[in-house]
């Protein structure tokens, strides 16, 4: 339920702001606009997909690390503590482990910390809804991703410690977040928007949530937007994200914990839309390209992906007589 917190906050903002906008009168002379459309036009909806390269690392602190020819294990500092494997997301107790079988043993409480690092990747799909306040924006969204963590490799003792594969190595990743941003610079049809996503993470049923607890996450990015029209934009967003996963070996008594730090570098691309505050002209014979009026109501003459009030040749840079089948005609008229 806590993952839905930001969704409730966003819905609350809509409930508070929508009535105030909806009751306003949007009139220009004798031309009227729908107040509901005007209110919806304040919101932007974005869908993006992309790729992320992740680097996951953790230290073995105040614990004993044990390596055999085929596997790696950890236990508490005391000799009678249980021995565990897979301390990434689903720790498992090893029954009847014989330490005399160990080929390598390191007590990190008596020496420098042992560090493991793994490369991986994630493929996210992100949905975002936000409200525009002049050059500022605030809202929320969610992201669903396929995530894979590679084999963990040690920073030392490579001759004694083999890389080990975490389990689960592949899992789904859900993120629920609040969103803020501001347009920092505009140039021609481009806008550059630094923004921040901050929220909670769910890692799926493959992770033992009693022993592995994902933290909040922060994602700082720069959205580069190409405005096709006032209603539609193409968005490319590179970003950096930090999150952590803290794993304990057992819950009955104090025991070593391991914080897995995830650093992910994303590039995502998609589209962003605003609901038009005026409808498309319903008269098929009407050739007006600009916003115009019929019967005291305002309409637009362009689809949402074109400029609504274009200058001469701005939307159609090529003459009609030079397009399609007209190319084969001696004269298009």
């Amino acid at each position: 339920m806590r993952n839905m917190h930001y969704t409730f906050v966003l819905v609350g903002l809509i409930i508070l702001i929508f009535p105030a906008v909806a009751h306003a009168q949007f009139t220009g002379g004798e031309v009227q606009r729908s107040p509901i459309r005007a209110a919806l036009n304040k919101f932007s909806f974005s869908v993006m997909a992309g790729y992320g390269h992740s680097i996951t690392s953790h230290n073995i602190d105040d614990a004993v690390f044990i390596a055999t020819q085929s596997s790696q294990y950890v236990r508490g500092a005391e000799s009678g503590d249980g021995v565990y494997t897979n301390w990434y997301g689903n720790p498992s107790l090893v029954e009847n482990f014989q330490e005399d079988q160990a080929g390598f043993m390191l007590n990190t409480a008596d020496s420098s910390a042992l560090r493991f690092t793994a490369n991986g990747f994630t493929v996210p799909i992100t949905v975002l809804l936000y409200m525009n306040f002049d050059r500022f924006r605030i809202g929320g969204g969610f992201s669903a991703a396929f995530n894979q963590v590679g084999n963990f490799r040690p920073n030392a003792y490579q001759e004694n410690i083999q890389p080990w594969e975490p389990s689960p190595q592949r899992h789904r990743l859900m993120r629920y977040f609040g969103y803020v941003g501001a347009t920092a610079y505009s140039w021609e049809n481009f806008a550059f928007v630094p923004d921040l996503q901050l929220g909670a993470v769910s890692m799926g049923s493959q992770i033992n949530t009693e022993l592995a607890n994902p933290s909040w996450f922060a994602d700082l990015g720069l959205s580069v937007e190409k405005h096709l029209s006032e209603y539609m934009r193409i968005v490319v967003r590179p970003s950096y994200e930090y999150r952590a996963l803290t794993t304990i070996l057992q819950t009955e008594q104090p025991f070593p914990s391991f914080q897995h730090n995830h650093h992910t570098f994303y590039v995502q691309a998609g589209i962003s839309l605003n609901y038009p505050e005026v409808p498309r002209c319903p008269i098929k014979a009407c050739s007006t390209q600009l916003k115009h009026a019929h019967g005291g109501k305002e309409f637009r003459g362009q689809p949402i992906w074109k400029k609504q009030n274009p200058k001469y040749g701005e939307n159609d840079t090529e003459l009609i007589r030079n397009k399609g089948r007209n190319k084969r005609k001696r004269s298009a008229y």
Side-chain angles (χ1 to χ4, degrees):
M1 293 299 292
R2 62 175 185 152
N3 289 334
M4 301 302 295
H5 172 72
Y6 295 100
T7 303
F8 294 143
V9 172
L10 179 60
V11 172
L13 286 172
I14 295 174
I15 293 174
L16 290 174
I17 297 172
F18 186 90
V21 181
H23 282 86
Q25 295 297 319
F26 292 88
T27 60
E30 298 299 322
V31 180
Q32 297 183 354
R33 292 181 179 178
S34 165
I36 296 178
R37 277 183 169 269
L40 293 175
N41 180 252
K42 300 293 183 181
F43 294 89
S44 296
F45 174 78
S46 299
V47 178
M48 293 182 290
Y51 176 85
H53 175 76
S54 62
I55 301 173
T56 305
S57 63
H58 66 273
N59 292 337
I60 306 295
D61 294 320
D62 297 325
V64 175
F65 175 83
I66 304 169
T68 65
Q69 292 183 349
S70 59
S71 301
Q72 292 78 28
Y73 310 90
V74 291
R75 67 164 173 81
E78 302 296 330
S79 60
D81 291 337
V83 176
Y84 288 79
T85 186
N86 188 34
W87 58 95
Y88 172 68
N90 195 8
S92 300
L93 177 65
V94 179
E95 301 289 348
N96 302 319
F97 182 81
Q98 303 296 323
E99 291 192 1
D100 56 4
Q101 300 176 358
F104 177 80
M105 184 179 295
L106 177 68
N107 189 337
T108 58
D110 300 330
S111 61
S112 59
L114 179 62
R115 184 177 184 85
F116 284 92
T117 304
N119 291 309
F121 69 89
T122 181
V123 181
I125 297 177
T126 302
V127 176
L128 176 63
L129 178 66
Y130 59 86
M131 187 173 188
N132 298 284
F133 299 90
D134 192 19
R135 53 187 287 261
F136 300 97
R137 53 186 67 174
I138 183 171
F142 69 91
S143 174
F146 169 81
N147 191 71
Q148 176 169 310
V149 180
N151 292 343
F152 282 98
R153 301 178 182 275
N155 66 333
Y157 309 105
Q158 289 88 349
E159 67 279 6
N160 298 309
I161 304 175
Q162 299 297 319
W164 60 276
E165 179 180 309
S167 177
Q169 192 171 30
R170 303 174 183 86
H171 58 85
R172 67 175 177 85
L173 186 68
M174 296 292 295
R175 305 182 305 157
Y176 307 87
F177 57 86
Y179 170 84
V180 292
T183 302
Y185 181 70
S186 297
W187 174 71
E188 295 188 352
N189 295 327
F190 291 88
F192 300 86
V193 185
D195 52 22
L196 174 68
Q197 299 174 1
L198 187 66
V201 177
S202 172
M203 299 182 66
S205 58
Q206 301 98 324
I207 300 294
N208 186 341
T209 55
E210 292 185 357
L211 301 177
N213 180 33
S215 71
W216 54 269
F217 79 93
D219 186 303
L220 181 63
L222 176 66
S223 295
V224 180
E225 302 177 343
K226 177 176 174 56
H227 291 245
L228 303 180
S229 72
E230 59 189 274
Y231 306 126
M232 186 173 183
R233 298 158 295 280
I234 297 175
V235 183
V236 177
R237 183 178 186 268
S239 67
Y240 161 76
E241 176 187 288
Y242 171 80
R243 59 184 174 87
L245 175 69
T246 301
T247 305
I248 58 175
L249 298 184
Q250 62 182 38
T251 58
E252 288 78 8
Q253 61 184 17
F255 223 73
S257 63
F258 306 94
Q259 179 170 305
H260 306 275
N261 299 303
H262 295 261
H263 305 270
T264 307
F265 301 89
Y266 288 103
V267 176
Q268 297 187 73
I271 60 171
S272 178
L273 302 171
N274 284 74
Y275 191 76
E277 81 280 14
V278 292
R280 183 78 183 271
C281 181
I283 302 175
K284 293 183 178 181
C286 181
S287 60
T288 304
Q289 296 191 38
L290 305 181
K291 290 182 178 179
H292 57 284
H294 292 294
K297 295 183 179 180
E298 188 176 14
F299 299 95
R300 53 189 172 86
Q302 301 287 349
I304 62 172
W305 59 86
K306 289 188 176 182
K307 289 187 176 180
Q308 301 304 302
N309 290 307
K311 298 177 182 178
Y312 180 79
E314 198 168 22
N315 277 342
D316 297 298
T317 57
E318 190 174 1
L319 295 176
I320 294 176
R321 64 186 179 186
N322 295 330
K323 291 184 176 181
R325 288 178 294 181
N326 290 336
K327 291 181 180 179
R328 298 190 295 270
K329 297 179 182 179
R330 179 172 296 180
S331 175
Y333 305 96

